Amino acid sequence: MANSTSAPKGARTPWQVTRSVWYAMFMREAISRTMADRMGWFWMIFEPVALVAIMVGIRSFIRGDRLIVNAEFIPWMIAGLMGFFLVREGMLRGMGAIEGNSALFAYRQVQPVDPVLVRNFLEGMLRTFVFLLFIVGGLMLGLDLYPDNAIRAMAAWLSLWYLGLGLGLFTSVAATLVPEVGRIIRMLSLPLLIISGVIFPLNQLPHWLLEYLMLNPIPHALETLRLGFFDNYQTIHGTSMLYFWLVTLSLNALGLLMHLRFVDRLKAK
């Protein structure tokens, strides 16, 4: 009688089902991301290279490197660009994850949060690989791109990755339910690049303005990432990873709660 009420022999646990779903979605996303577009890898590498080249050209006129204490300008900017792209792509890719996988919601094992998690993981892996390419290429060209404190650099990189996940969870729900939100977020990505201290240091700004800009969590992790590459680097006043993690954990919690609250509406979209 005990055997008749127990689970069928060989039945998979919920974790095994979820893991299978994530693996299948990861392979689907990976093939689509890297092979569907022949120029995908090119643009992934060319975009930061082009921005670095443009900023180096601008530097020759304004001498922006003089504003950075104890760090070379080009490695400083590469670290900032790659860290920012990790967050930005986590946010933007998350917005289209639900709509792009809506057909899969016919299977009850697939939830709207699954494609967001898978896309963020894949994007983080790709961006990490591209960053490693930049580090190797920079070292071959004689740039100081070897981290002085590798543990701090990796911790800051993973922190930025997690922030991108939190933003992706939030924007995936907001942009799916209200499409106009997605357009606004895309428009804000360029100003966010500027006010996050990615291409120009924020230290020279007035203190009253810096107090407002540092409400943005991205500069806190970017400065910590740069500190991992340059031991004597002078970070922006007010840099705090405690504040960064309070915001990041709150974003992730809010995003997950939104997915739970609106799961039926997300599936119906």
Side-chain angles (χ1 to χ4, degrees):
M1 291 298 293
N3 290 336
S4 62
T5 59
S6 61
K9 187 176 181 180
R12 296 191 298 173
T13 64
W15 168 241
Q16 289 174 323
V17 173
T18 301
R19 196 169 54 184
S20 298
V21 168
W22 286 352
Y23 176 76
M25 295 186 74
F26 176 81
M27 295 304 297
R28 180 175 181 265
E29 290 284 344
I31 293 172
S32 174
R33 184 82 169 86
T34 59
M35 297 183 184
D37 184 0
R38 290 179 299 175
M39 301 291 287
W41 281 105
F42 171 77
W43 288 115
M44 201 181 304
I45 298 173
F46 178 76
E47 182 182 16
V49 169
L51 277 173
V52 169
I54 292 170
M55 288 303 108
V56 169
I58 294 175
R59 185 196 67 169
S60 64
F61 293 99
I62 65 171
R63 301 304 297 169
D65 54 331
R66 292 179 179 175
L67 304 177
I68 303 168
V69 180
N70 297 328
E72 292 184 23
F73 180 72
I74 296 178
W76 176 90
M77 189 168 53
I78 289 175
L81 281 170
M82 298 308 298
F84 178 80
F85 287 156
L86 180 65
V87 175
R88 187 195 68 178
E89 292 304 308
M91 177 178 66
L92 296 182
R93 297 278 173 187
M95 285 196 298
I98 294 176
E99 185 178 353
N101 294 273
S102 57
L104 299 177
F105 300 149
Y107 302 96
R108 62 182 180 84
Q109 296 92 340
V110 182
Q111 299 298 319
V113 71
D114 293 330
V116 181
L117 297 174
V118 170
R119 276 198 178 186
N120 181 269
F121 178 75
L122 174 63
E123 194 61 36
M125 293 293 290
L126 293 175
R127 289 290 163 182
T128 301
F129 179 70
V130 171
F131 193 20
L132 290 174
L133 288 181
F134 266 81
I135 292 175
V136 173
L139 291 174
M140 293 176 65
L141 293 174
L143 297 175
D144 183 19
L145 257 176
Y146 190 84
D148 293 332
N149 189 327
I151 294 177
R152 176 181 287 152
M154 286 189 292
W157 182 258
L158 293 174
S159 300
L160 287 163
W161 191 344
Y162 195 54
L163 174 61
L165 172 61
L167 290 169
L169 288 169
F170 173 79
T171 58
S172 62
V173 177
T176 301
L177 298 180
V178 186
E180 290 75 15
V181 171
R183 299 189 185 100
I184 295 172
I185 291 173
R186 289 187 176 89
M187 289 171 55
L188 292 176
S189 61
L190 181 58
L192 192 62
L193 173 75
I194 297 171
I195 66 173
S196 295
V198 176
I199 53 181
F200 292 107
L202 300 179
N203 270 329
Q204 304 301 314
L205 295 176
H207 180 70
W208 66 268
L209 179 58
L210 189 60
E211 284 186 331
Y212 289 104
L213 293 181
M214 290 304 282
L215 294 175
N216 172 14
I218 299 177
H220 296 268
L222 289 184
E223 289 296 285
T224 305
L225 176 64
R226 286 162 170 160
L227 185 61
F229 277 85
F230 315 105
D231 256 344
N232 298 318
Y233 172 62
Q234 183 177 324
T235 59
I236 299 173
H237 177 72
T239 299
S240 169
M241 287 304 289
L242 175 60
Y243 171 78
F244 172 88
W245 275 104
L246 287 174
V247 174
T248 300
L249 291 172
S250 299
L251 271 173
N252 276 271
L254 176 61
L256 290 172
L257 286 172
M258 290 174 69
H259 270 273
L260 287 173
R261 172 65 179 81
F262 299 109
V263 61
D264 294 329
R265 291 179 60 184
L266 294 174
K267 285 186 173 183
K269 283 290 181 177

